[in-house]
Amino acid sequence: MKVHSWGLLSNEEHQIELTDSNFKHSNAIGIPMGLGRSYGDAALNPGGAIWLTSALNHFIAFDEERGEFECEAGVSLREIQALIIPRGWNLPVTPGTQFVTVGGAIANDIHGKSHHTYGTFGDQVISLTLRRTDGSEMLCSPEQNSELFAATIGGIGLTGLITKARFALVRCTSPWIEMESSPFNNLSEFFELSKSSAIGWESSVAWIDCVGTKAGRGIFMRGNPAAKAESKKVKERQLGLPFTPPISLVNKATLRALNTGYFHLNKAKAGHSTVHYQSYFYPLDAISNWNRIYGPKGFYQYQSVIPHDRAESATQEMMATIASSGEGSFLAVLKVFGEKTPRGLLSFPMPGVTLALDFPNRGASTLELFAKLDEIVIRSGGRLYLAKDARMSRPMFETTYPNVSEFKKYRDPGISSAMSRRLLGA
Amino acid sequence: MKNIAIIGATSGIAQACARIWAAEADIRLILIGRSQERLTQVSNDLKVRSPKAVIESYEVNFTDPRAVAACVTYVTGTYGLDIALFAAGVMPTQELLSTSPALAAETIALNSISPTLFAEPILQFFTNQNHGTMALIGSVAGDRGRKANYLYGASKAFIATYAAGLQHRFAKTPIRIVLIKPGPTATAMTAELQADGIRMAKPEKVAQDIILGISKGDAVIYTPRIWGLIMAIVRKVPAPIFNRLNF
Ligand SMILES: Cc1cc2nc3c(=O)[nH]c(=O)nc-3n(C[C@H](O)[C@H](O)[C@H](O)COP(=O)(O)OP(=O)(O)OC[C@H]3O[C@@H](n4cnc5c(N)ncnc54)[C@H](O)[C@@H]3O)c2cc1C
Ligand SMILES: NC(=O)c1ccc[n+]([C@@H]2O[C@H](COP(=O)([O-])OP(=O)(O)OC[C@H]3O[C@@H](n4cnc5c(N)ncnc54)[C@H](OP(=O)(O)O)[C@@H]3O)[C@@H](O)[C@H]2O)c1
């Protein structure tokens, strides 16, 4: 059947196979897919097989004394949080959506607003079970099969099917977050705010305006778990886009209005507030198919990280490049990573600043802009995030991910994806 | 404490039912299946979800009359029983069934005969205690034979007729017989159909309908409910027209 990823850039025929814990790989070359929340081609394999992990949906153990959770790899973070938060525990690391699987969280070694406090999802993993296409099953941890463990964390599905994993939790006092939001006028102010939030704030993130003359202003948000339970009732929020609009609703005509509106709305709300963790961490989850607002041609997300020494100047330069290109982004997110070096051979985060931008797919002009941004990223010693990528060149990948040749040793020869063929040649 | 036996507890639909039941207060679930390993997987999952629920499991060969009888004696004697749900089943393609008589025989043994092996001694127990609900999963496929799956359909039509007979037998008693007819549901059974992009009901939705129907003691549950209407029409299409349709 036809399958697309989150960015809706392609929709091609795949052979779908449902995996469960007894899964036997067929002869077709395949790639695991969780909830398909990667934007590009990490979980796509046109003409070949996709191994859907939705039947790997069992919880295995919840150690409420030590704060450890074990489950099969197709379980979503949303299901886990719904279970553990009322019982006083939480996941230390989650991305901007709860609709990702444990397998996907490990295979992209995802990060969240708490990166400066807890590192990546892979940093929480105590052990995982990997099923290779030769039929072997391996327990991997920092002690056992540690090289394969390091290759699998951030290994974009290429080392085997993760069937289950055990990971560490953090204590959680309530589902509420005490948050503070502060408008800033330029990048220097952003970096100041980040520095002052590195300690004492569990999570932080900023939205930044990158359109027009006011580009560089934004809203800085930081939060801590609220100490005691609020008794407010939360409504299950779930809106949906009923159809794909014929053109992108995010376009030149609407972008400036969207950005200005967003800035002033949030500036007006600046200050302290207590908010539910879902609306603080996963605001976009309230609209189920928001990716469709970009219309039938889909959209790209461009997410880079730039090391500290060049962080401000390179970000400045990227913003200027975007502003002068006429392409614009509504969802522009900026965050300073912590100092922890991730475990995965292909993990994305590094000490520095990450910028994530959504662009409607306008064909050649969008790609031209990316080429200019690539040049800044490479020159500054940064890299792009594979979970979001659909178009990076192989030379750029090889220059910016230093462990590529080491990683290749741990690949499963029965696995290949559109991304692996594009970036690793097979 | 309410005792519920789920026979074929590892099935996708049964697991979704078990997750709902386990969340109720004062429940013991007795999971019956052919493989202890698979039962442990399901039981661990339920214990994480609902630490207060009591979960037991029992491995048995579903088509061995003596083993099944022993299983029922053990379960009713050790725990007692209020509700039993039979949910095991297989659906090989008609093409395979047409060319492999052995597979056809196995399919009928599991889908049609096995439920009777469990139901008769369970109903004997219910009769003695004068209450209990026996639920059997048939299928919309049992409502009318189609070329795509008539042997499977026939094995499910057996369940429908069997359940109707039991309903007749227990009509004047507090014992309830519930016949469940799911439409296509996204479980391992329909993996290949799902892979072709055919839309299916979620097992969670089907399970909600089943549990509500069982609690009310409904005679027949179509789930999702729209299938009651669809099948009413499908049953009425005259054969000359029906036989020209391709589905
Ligand atoms: C709204 C939104 C916000 C996001 N915010 C963030 C964020 O803040 N930080 C961040 O890091 N990411 C973020 N992401 C990206 C997302 O977290 C990752 O793409 C994640 O990997 C998606 O998980 P998935 O289950 O959908 O996996 P998929 O996208 O289906 O697959 C991702 C990769 O994992 C592999 N994989 C999946 N399951 C398995 C398995 N069982 N075994 C082996 N390999 C497997 C696939 O082969 C593929 O390479 C965001 C995405 C969205 C849509
Ligand atoms: N899914 C649908 O679309 C659909 C529609 C209508 C009716 N139904 C009926 O609903 C019931 C549940 O189906 P499902 O979709 O949930 O099925 P499923 O997930 O495929 O599960 C099948 C179950 O049958 C068990 N089983 C298979 N062979 C067996 C054997 N020889 N002995 C004992 N147990 C055996 C399996 O046990 P293991 O786990 O040990 O393999 C499993 O528990 C079945 O009766 C099915 O016919 C399903």
Side-chain angles (χ1 to χ4, degrees):
Chain A
M1 76 188 262
K2 288 206 156 102
V3 180
H4 56 77
S5 66
W6 193 247
L8 301 169
L9 290 162
S10 66
N11 193 23
E12 290 185 74
E13 206 54 52
H14 288 76
Q15 175 185 330
I16 304 293
E17 295 172 18
L18 292 192
T19 61
D20 60 19
S21 47
N22 304 314
F23 180 61
K24 306 246 178 344
H25 297 274
S26 72
N27 292 327
I29 296 275
I31 184 77
M33 179 185 256
L35 280 165
R37 254 43 180 205
S38 296
Y39 286 64
D41 51 4
L44 295 179
N45 185 21
I50 279 180
W51 301 321
L52 275 189
T53 61
S54 52
L56 285 167
N57 64 1
H58 296 97
F59 295 151
I60 299 170
F62 177 17
D63 185 332
E64 297 189 56
E65 241 100 85
R66 302 170 66 149
E68 293 179 7
F69 200 85
E70 187 173 348
C71 64
E72 290 182 332
V75 171
S76 75
L77 302 192
R78 187 180 175 90
E79 294 166 87
I80 297 172
Q81 288 185 304
L83 181 88
I84 65 176
I85 291 178
R87 293 206 229 156
W89 291 97
N90 201 355
L91 296 170
V93 179
T94 60
T97 171
Q98 285 184 294
F99 295 105
V100 304
T101 63
V102 167
I106 296 172
N108 268 319
D109 196 14
I110 60 160
H111 57 267
K113 297 181 178 63
S114 68
H115 184 271
H116 62 280
T117 313
Y118 301 118
T120 63
F121 195 93
D123 289 327
Q124 321 308 320
V125 177
I126 298 162
S127 64
L128 58 84
T129 302
L130 197 63
R131 184 173 286 231
R132 310 262 290 184
T133 57
D134 62 9
S136 62
E137 197 168 77
M138 270 180 265
L139 187 73
C140 304
S141 72
E143 294 79 36
Q144 214 175 330
N145 296 311
S146 55
E147 294 91 355
L148 193 54
F149 184 67
T152 300
I153 291 178
I156 46 171
L158 302 176
T159 60
L161 176 76
I162 303 164
T163 54
K164 53 187 176 187
R166 189 176 184 91
F167 41 88
L169 309 175
V170 285
R171 285 264 179 215
C172 147
T173 40
S174 85
W176 300 92
I177 304 290
E178 299 281 6
M179 77 165 271
E180 186 194 284
S181 98
S182 341
F184 58 86
N185 294 308
N186 52 50
L187 280 178
S188 315
E189 287 182 30
F190 162 79
F191 281 101
E192 276 310 310
L193 280 162
S194 291
K195 203 177 275 172
S196 71
S197 314
I199 295 170
W201 292 93
E202 185 187 61
S203 61
S204 71
V205 74
W207 168 85
I208 183 166
D209 186 349
C210 54
V211 186
T213 48
K214 300 261 173 55
R217 68 179 171 179
I219 309 287
F220 192 91
M221 284 158 272
R222 52 191 181 181
N224 278 319
K228 61 173 185 346
E230 285 259 336
S231 54
K232 284 193 255 176
K233 273 244 154 58
V234 240
K235 271 191 246 144
E236 264 292 321
R237 317 148 305 150
Q238 201 50 264
L239 299 168
L241 216 59
F243 57 89
T244 305
I247 56 158
S248 172
L249 297 181
V250 179
N251 56 39
K252 271 197 183 140
T254 59
L255 250 177
R256 184 161 315 190
L258 284 170
N259 278 279
T260 305
Y262 188 87
F263 181 78
H264 287 290
L265 191 72
N266 283 281
K267 193 174 171 183
K269 290 197 300 191
H272 289 269
S273 54
T274 308
V275 293
H276 192 254
Y277 79 98
Q278 284 179 313
S279 61
Y280 174 76
F281 282 106
Y282 325 108
L284 288 168
D285 283 356
I287 309 166
S288 49
N289 292 314
W290 63 262
N291 53 340
R292 295 207 225 152
I293 62 169
Y294 290 98
K297 289 197 193 134
F299 69 112
Y300 291 95
Q301 182 161 108
Y302 190 92
Q303 181 170 357
S304 57
V305 57
I306 306 284
H308 283 309
D309 54 336
R310 308 292 298 276
E312 193 169 337
S313 60
T315 307
Q316 199 73 263
E317 196 182 345
M318 290 169 79
M319 302 279 297
T321 308
I322 295 163
S324 67
S325 73
E327 307 273 327
S329 175
F330 173 51
L331 290 166
V333 172
L334 203 56
K335 155 132 193 95
V336 173
F337 280 143
E339 300 305 303
K340 204 162 185 169
T341 314
R343 287 164 157 173
L345 290 179
L346 299 185
S347 291
F348 164 69
M350 61 167 83
V353 68
T354 181
L355 173 66
L357 307 148
D358 282 2
F359 295 96
N361 173 20
R362 293 169 57 206
S365 64
T366 312
L367 294 173
E368 270 162 38
L369 168 65
F370 292 162
K372 288 182 195 147
L373 298 177
D374 287 352
E375 193 271 315
I376 302 170
V377 172
I378 297 170
R379 171 156 47 80
S380 315
R383 58 167 82 115
L384 301 183
Y385 188 14
L386 298 180
K388 311 293 176 70
D389 180 54
R391 37 70 50 197
M392 180 184 1
S393 72
R394 191 171 168 189
M396 176 170 184
F397 177 61
E398 285 170 350
T399 326
T400 55
Y401 280 84
N403 300 319
V404 172
S405 52
E406 172 71 6
F407 173 78
K408 285 183 179 166
K409 294 188 211 156
Y410 303 101
R411 280 192 64 176
D412 184 322
I415 298 184
S416 170
S417 65
M419 174 170 273
S420 76
R421 292 189 286 278
R422 177 164 60 85
L423 295 178
L424 292 150
Chain B
M1 174 174 281
K2 190 153 72 175
N3 288 297
I4 303 178
I6 308 182
I7 307 157
T10 56
S11 100
I13 292 176
Q15 288 187 59
C17 291
R19 287 175 184 183
I20 300 176
W21 269 324
E24 288 178 11
D26 229 12
I27 285 274
R28 173 163 33 219
L29 293 182
I30 303 129
L31 311 179
I32 299 171
R34 64 165 156 181
S35 140
Q36 186 56 54
E37 194 190 334
R38 293 266 293 134
L39 289 170
T40 303
Q41 179 188 39
V42 174
S43 129
N44 286 344
D45 174 74
L46 294 169
K47 285 177 191 160
V48 171
R49 286 172 199 272
S50 303
K52 291 204 187 100
V54 180
I55 316 283
E56 311 286 350
S57 57
Y58 193 106
E59 182 190 68
V60 66
N61 178 346
F62 276 50
T63 50
D64 176 346
R66 246 186 281 196
V68 170
C71 165
V72 174
T73 305
Y74 179 83
V75 168
T76 52
T78 315
Y79 312 115
L81 194 61
D82 303 290
I83 296 172
L85 168 66
F86 187 96
V90 284
M91 187 180 68
T93 62
Q94 184 55 48
E95 206 181 334
L96 277 175
L97 289 166
S98 293
T99 48
S100 164
L103 185 64
E106 276 171 34
T107 300
I108 293 167
L110 182 68
N111 291 5
S112 308
I113 300 174
S114 180
T116 72
L117 301 183
F118 282 95
E120 294 301 334
I122 287 174
L123 287 163
Q124 192 54 54
F125 176 81
F126 286 169
T127 304
N128 295 341
Q129 71 176 11
N130 203 32
H131 83 266
T133 302
M134 179 76 229
L136 299 163
I137 305 191
S139 170
V140 294
D143 278 12
R144 187 162 192 174
R146 289 191 301 127
K147 63 182 171 188
N149 67 355
Y150 54 86
L151 191 129
Y152 171 79
S155 77
K156 291 298 187 179
F158 177 101
I159 300 286
T161 306
Y162 179 67
L166 291 176
Q167 283 162 354
H168 190 192
R169 173 177 157 199
F170 289 100
K172 294 196 179 117
T173 75
I175 294 160
R176 289 285 149 268
I177 310 296
V178 176
L179 171 63
I180 298 146
K181 296 185 184 180
T185 308
T187 66
M189 181 173 280
T190 53
E192 276 166 31
L193 300 169
Q194 292 170 60
D196 291 339
I198 297 174
R199 286 183 67 89
M200 308 230 164
K202 290 209 169 97
E204 293 77 23
K205 162 72 186 139
V206 167
Q208 274 173 359
D209 287 355
I210 291 177
I211 284 174
L212 183 68
I214 288 179
S215 73
K216 293 194 298 181
D218 287 348
V220 180
I221 305 170
Y222 279 96
T223 169
R225 270 180 53 192
I226 182 75
W227 282 96
L229 185 67
I230 297 173
M231 294 318 293
I233 297 167
V234 169
R235 278 196 308 270
K236 288 204 174 68
V237 177
I241 298 177
F242 188 85
N243 291 342
R244 270 185 279 140
L245 299 176
N246 210 7
F247 72 106

